[in-house]
Amino acid sequence: LRQVSDLSDFSRGHWLRELLCRGQEPSHVQSSPDGQHLLLLQKSRPPALPRVVAFQRHSIAGADLERSWQPPQPALVGLLFLQSPVVLGSWVLAVVWEHGRTEIWHFVVAVGWQLLQTLELCQGARARVVSVCSQGASLVWCEERPPLGAPSDTSKCAFRFCVCARALEVGEQGVRLGTVKIVLHNSPEYQVLASPQHVFLVPAAAGFATTSKFLLIWHPEKAEFTITAPSAGFIHSKVLRSSSESDFRKLLLGSVGLLSGFAPLDIHTSSVSNSGGLLLVSTKGAVSIVEPDGTQRHIFDLEGNPLAQGSPVQLKTFGSILACVIAGVLYLVDQNSGRLVEKEVLSMKEVHFLESQGEEDSIQLLSQTGIYSISFSKPEHSSRPEPCLVEMVFEEACRYYQRRSLSSSQLTVEKLKKGGTFQAPVVLAAILQHSLHQKQKPARGLQDTYAKLLSTMSLELQSYMSLELLKTCVVCASESEVESYCKELVEQEISRILQSDMDKDNLAYLNSVFASFPKAAWKAIRSCLQLQQNGDGLLVARATPEVWKKVLCQPQLEEVGQNGMVPLFELICASFLRFKPKWLPSFVELTQQYVSSSWSYSSKEGPEGRVPLYKRALGVLAQKNKHSEADDEMELELLLCSKRPKAVLQALHLLIRLKQWQRVVEVAEEFSKLSPLLNKEIFILLLAEFAQHRDLDPYLDRLWPLCPAELTASDILTMVLQHLPHSQEDPVPFSSEGNQLTVGLLKPLLQRVVQRPSAQDEMYSDALQSTTFPPPTPPREH
């Protein structure tokens, strides 16, 4: 942190220093986008009157802007810098008052600030502006429109605010306001914040609990509103085709029931980032960003106690760095990764952010003694190559050791470095520094033990470096090259995860990879499992047992479902259904063969201890939006490939429902050989169908041999009588329909059962065939 400028750089610098040092801290400090003009709004403190003062840098001669007003004058609502289209690099300042009066000031070099025109924003005399911003060439504001004869109780007229927009054209002849456009009427009070393409509507702190549960985002080019409750993940968009649809209650129609169950938003401070997102700080110190599409991303948690209402928090983004000042502490956070870059305790009582004049690698702060700059760029003479990578090593080690630790105390990076107990991350950090530094400068000395370890892990390190290089190529590649790079990157990432622990974070990462790059993920999983067809057309896999265990692991229910994570086996099955559905039954059969060879049947430790694999595959099939005949065939194949009795019977029921009788008999003949119990269940099922209709008659000669040995003729007749269809007419000897069951159809089966030797006959068959007992029957004569 170094001083780069004195306050004397500004016109009337002595007065600026006096304002900042004598207990007259401004309530608002704003600099122009080029950093040449500084605007201060002073609070109303006796004996000084409230006033707006503009200071110019480098003390160029000219009239300074100083605007003060007496207490009867309405309060000031907004100070907006607008770029003048007449002179490039020239700025226009709009000073907006509470009753809608707007003063337009123009700055001319060597002349200074001049009042161009005074305008009236609002159309009604009773309107009161509560918030204003500039979006493009328009002014957007939220105004209060109290109805005539409004009651003193404001809760009875809560929806008395209106969001309006009006084009502001600055030309050589003066300033012209366009017509008023009603963006939203009959709404609660909102604070309007503008990004280059969108306007965020943030509920006011004094708003009602029912309307402070969501944010509104207005897209002017599309005439579209996005309703978002970021913490609940609710996002809904609606296009307003006419002014009649811009009513607040009509906008929420259809979503009010869902929104009523959400908790109110926790917003302490809000600001717009340079990327167009809305930065939010909660009362608990959590910093997050809401993107223009309504999605929210957590960035960082500020340290310290919960923030009190009214305690100042300043936010500003410089490139990818988020700067935050709270209670005299400056936090610099990387927006992309959420990593704390720097934390500085400031000795100044109060500071304000200034524009950095195009320098994205430094932050400028205005204090009582001057302007200070803090740089977060990496010096050229730094002896630490890739410091971010080394810090990632220690952060990942903290997570690993914390997960394995039995202690409840929180492990930090500082403890990890100083403790001396955990040597692995220290060694890895030294090796990474050495090997990465070696490519740029001559290698420094490395300890012998580290050198031996480096030789053993050189291949892994080369693989990691190639992966990082590939990621860099993806970022810098053209659109035509991105697809080929992504295929290679996805394959390396999936291969890397299959070689590491399949924890919750890795599983969530795999879900995002399969969702973002489905085709590349399918090719990568084929390569990792080495799936291919052999010469006989059968699917084979040459994956190692460790990879199979990662594929078949099923996380606990509390780990999935809450955040929508899908286990890896289900992800692979979904890829099969999308790109190679014919292979899915064979893949399930392959996994079952591995399970049967690795775990005992129905072992709770194995992947089938809770849900069988074929049922997990069927669950993926059931999630398809449209059900077709091909899905019925796939369901049938999955049931049969499991070879489980319940699944086989379920497949037979499905075939019977589809009336595929030829297939019914083929499945019955194939699976009746597996076990006598399954044979009996199949035969009883088909005998019941035979009793009800005549569709199985052409296959009776193949059906009767399936009859179990323990069934007797009386058992068969009892089952047939139980399943005969109930006729609505009186029974007749001969039916005209020809679909009645007759004794002739049953005769071959009954003869087969009666002529079959009983168990008792087989027991005494040797004695009955003896020549001595019983004696032969003498021949009879007619």
Side-chain angles (χ1 to χ4, degrees), residues 1 328-329 344-351 367-369 372:
L1 190 65
V329 180
E344 288 283 344
V345 179
L346 304 177
S347 58
M348 303 110 179
K349 183 178 179 182
E350 185 172 351
V351 295
S367 72
Q368 300 170 354
T369 58
Y372 291 81

Side-chain angles (χ1 to χ4, degrees), residues 543-550 594 598:
T544 61
E546 289 74 16
V547 173
W548 274 122
K549 288 181 180 179
K550 304 283 185 1
Y594 171 74
S598 302

Side-chain angles (χ1 to χ4, degrees), residues 244-400:
S244 62
E245 296 182 358
S246 62
D247 185 80
F248 178 76
R249 284 163 288 194
K250 290 183 180 179
L251 177 66
L252 294 183
L253 193 63
S255 305
V256 65
L258 187 60
L259 291 170
S260 62
F262 296 155
L265 297 173
D266 183 11
I267 300 177
H268 180 276
T269 306
S270 57
S271 176
V272 178
S273 70
N274 55 6
S275 62
L278 177 65
L279 294 167
L280 298 178
V281 181
S282 69
T283 56
K284 298 177 182 178
V287 183
S288 58
I289 184 169
V290 179
E291 300 295 345
D293 59 359
T295 57
Q296 184 185 35
R297 179 171 59 87
H298 178 265
I299 298 179
F300 186 71
D301 288 323
L302 299 174
E303 301 173 355
N305 299 324
L307 305 178
Q309 194 68 30
S311 59
V313 177
Q314 297 189 52
L315 295 172
K316 193 166 183 62
T317 53
F318 298 85
S320 63
I321 299 297
L322 167 65
C324 178
V325 174
I326 174 173
V329 180
L330 171 65
Y331 296 89
L332 301 181
V333 182
D334 188 346
Q335 289 186 87
N336 299 326
S337 64
R339 187 175 59 86
L340 181 64
V341 178
E342 195 71 39
K343 177 183 176 183
E344 288 283 344
V345 179
L346 304 177
S347 58
M348 303 110 179
K349 183 178 179 182
E350 185 172 351
V351 295
H352 301 275
F353 289 118
L354 299 180
E355 296 293 339
S356 296
Q357 306 180 37
E359 299 177 5
E360 291 191 348
D361 58 348
S362 65
I363 295 174
Q364 290 193 356
L365 302 170
L366 173 68
S367 72
Q368 300 170 354
T369 58
I371 298 177
Y372 291 81
S373 174
I374 182 170
S375 177
F376 45 86
S377 62
K378 176 185 169 185
E380 294 181 0
H381 59 275
S382 174
S383 60
R384 292 179 59 196
E386 300 289 340
C388 297
L389 181 59
V390 174
E391 288 299 320
M392 285 175 58
V393 170
F394 287 106
E395 291 172 3
E396 186 68 25
C398 268
R399 293 173 52 193
Y400 174 76

Side-chain angles (χ1 to χ4, degrees), residues 392-458:
M392 285 175 58
V393 170
F394 287 106
E395 291 172 3
E396 186 68 25
C398 268
R399 293 173 52 193
Y400 174 76
Y401 289 124
Q402 190 71 48
R403 195 165 59 242
R404 294 174 58 104
S405 175
L406 299 177
S407 174
S408 58
S409 61
Q410 188 69 27
L411 182 64
T412 63
V413 175
E414 288 75 15
K415 293 181 182 178
L416 194 69
K417 291 180 179 178
K418 298 177 182 178
T421 307
F422 310 102
Q423 290 298 310
V426 179
V427 174
L428 181 57
I431 290 176
L432 285 175
Q433 286 184 353
H434 173 82
S435 58
L436 294 174
H437 194 73
Q438 193 175 11
K439 293 189 175 183
Q440 301 171 354
K441 296 181 180 181
R444 297 175 295 162
L446 193 66
Q447 296 183 19
D448 294 338
T449 54
Y450 290 6
K452 292 179 181 179
L453 186 59
L454 176 59
S455 63
T456 58
M457 59 179 295
S458 58

Side-chain angles (χ1 to χ4, degrees), residues 513-687:
V513 169
F514 272 81
S516 304
F517 309 99
K519 192 171 184 179
W522 157 247
K523 292 184 177 180
I525 208 67
R526 280 185 60 181
S527 175
C528 293
L529 297 179
Q530 300 186 42
L531 289 172
Q532 56 185 352
Q533 282 183 322
N534 60 10
D536 299 330
L538 300 177
L539 188 68
V540 294
R542 294 181 176 85
T544 61
E546 289 74 16
V547 173
W548 274 122
K549 288 181 180 179
K550 304 283 185 1
V551 169
L552 299 178
C553 71
Q554 188 175 11
Q556 299 292 333
L557 292 178
E558 56 268 16
E559 296 181 3
V560 297
Q562 297 294 332
N563 50 3
M565 283 194 302
V566 179
L568 179 56
F569 178 77
E570 277 76 358
L571 288 175
I572 297 175
C573 288
S575 295
F576 271 105
L577 283 176
R578 183 171 182 176
F579 298 104
K580 202 74 171 178
K582 292 183 179 180
W583 283 13
L584 180 57
S586 302
F587 173 72
V588 175
E589 197 167 1
L590 274 178
T591 56
Q592 290 177 154
Q593 291 175 6
Y594 171 74
V595 168
S596 61
S597 62
S598 302
W599 286 283
S600 60
Y601 182 75
S602 72
S603 170
K604 291 186 178 181
E605 297 179 357
E608 292 211 351
R610 282 170 284 183
V611 181
L613 292 173
Y614 80 94
K615 285 190 177 181
R616 293 172 64 180
L618 286 173
V620 177
L621 179 64
Q623 292 176 0
K624 290 187 65 175
N625 296 329
K626 296 182 179 179
H627 195 79
S628 60
E629 295 182 1
D631 295 335
D632 289 333
E633 184 66 27
M634 179 62 65
E635 180 181 356
L636 185 66
E637 292 295 332
L638 289 174
L639 290 170
L640 294 178
C641 76
S642 70
K643 298 182 181 179
R644 292 197 170 196
K646 289 184 179 179
V648 172
L649 292 175
Q650 188 177 346
L652 280 173
H653 281 290
L654 177 61
L655 287 172
I656 290 172
R657 179 169 58 83
L658 297 175
K659 299 185 182 299
Q660 298 182 11
W661 305 111
Q662 173 74 21
R663 190 84 183 277
V664 166
V665 176
E666 292 175 355
V667 171
E669 289 178 336
E670 179 181 357
F671 290 93
S672 292
K673 304 172 184 177
L674 293 181
S675 69
L677 185 60
L678 180 59
N679 180 22
K680 183 177 180 180
E681 293 289 338
I682 292 175
F683 183 78
I684 291 175
L685 174 64
L686 298 184
L687 187 62

